[in-house]
DNA sequence: TTAGCATATGAATAGATGTTCATATATTCA
DNA sequence: TGAATATATGAACATCTATTCATATGCTAA
């Protein structure tokens, strides 16, 4: 499903703004760690907090933002709420960016 | 040159920070417009300023940041300095993110 | 050299943002 | 019901950041 450069150029202003929102979201170290942690498997808030070394409150705040952008989704299991990636493209995004970093 | 999800998971903390820097860079609407404009062809500061509707000074400030991250490069031609993308992955990054936006 | 254009840069400021803290909501189990 | 655990949320605060303005630098052509 990849697109050519020609199509990339034809992007509306609002689409660019939406893109910026997504990039800004994973442009924060804490949120990027969260998303990165969810690449492996779904995690509850408590587990995420330990993994990324943030307070549950801070994680919850950031998850709310990520959820608003449809980057993560959640499901309840008893008292816990498990979060997972809501977007198949995210892992591809990360891999592409990773190539840049590792080549640079 | 694509990598699988397994390798994406094995990312060091500093690599994640570098990734966050890149995403944060193109997470700003102004800078994203700049990068997007450079997808088509190299542009001088003056042209960029008109294209993205920012002052030459503001554009220059942002180009400095993008250049520090090796996302754009420049070449002088007389009085003008032409900027272009310094990273083949950027267009792929944009296309992947664009798919998310358009599917969502 | 001087004038003029293009770009860069430093300082200042206004606005955005991530975290913390206190509190609220929700679920489970005794 | 009540206690304990998990998550969410609002307000406040400190930090970060993008732009503006003034000024400096660099190049070209008289």
């Amino acid at each position: 499903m990849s697109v050519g450069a020609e199509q990339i150029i034809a992007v509306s202003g609002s689409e660019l703004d939406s893109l910026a929102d997504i990039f800004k979201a994973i442009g924060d170290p804490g949120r990027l760690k969260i998303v990165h942690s969810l690449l492996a498997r779904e995690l509850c808030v408590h587990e995420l907090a330990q993994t990324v070394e943030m307070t549950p409150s801070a994680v919850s705040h950031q998850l709310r933002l990520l959820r608003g952008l449809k980057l993560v989704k959640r499901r309840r299991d008893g008292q816990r709420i498990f979060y997972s990636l809501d977007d198949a493209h995210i892992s591809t995004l990360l891999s592409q960016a990773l190539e840049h970093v590792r080549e640079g």
Side-chain angles (χ1 to χ4, degrees), chain A residues 2 17 27 34-35 37 39 50 59 65 86-87 98-101:
Chain A
S2 65
D17 286 338
I34 291 174
V35 170
S37 300
L39 279 174
Q50 289 187 317
V59 168
L65 189 149
D86 191 18
D87 184 347
L98 198 55
E99 285 185 54
H100 172 84
V101 170

Side-chain angles (χ1 to χ4, degrees), chain A residues 92-104:
Chain A
T92 310
L93 265 180
L94 291 185
S95 68
Q96 289 292 339
L98 198 55
E99 285 185 54
H100 172 84
V101 170
R102 289 180 170 164
E103 289 178 2

Side-chain angles (χ1 to χ4, degrees), chain A residues 68-86:
Chain A
L69 292 173
K70 299 250 169 60
L71 293 180
V72 304
K73 60 174 184 261
R74 64 179 175 180
R75 76 175 177 85
R76 180 178 282 280
D77 180 22
Q79 309 178 37
R80 292 187 260 181
I81 295 182
F82 284 90
Y83 281 82
S84 58
L85 297 185
D86 191 18

Side-chain angles (χ1 to χ4, degrees), chain A residues 58-70:
Chain A
V59 168
S60 183
H61 274 295
Q62 301 299 22
L63 284 171
R64 178 181 161 84
L65 189 149
L66 292 173
R67 205 159 65 90
L69 292 173
K70 299 250 169 60

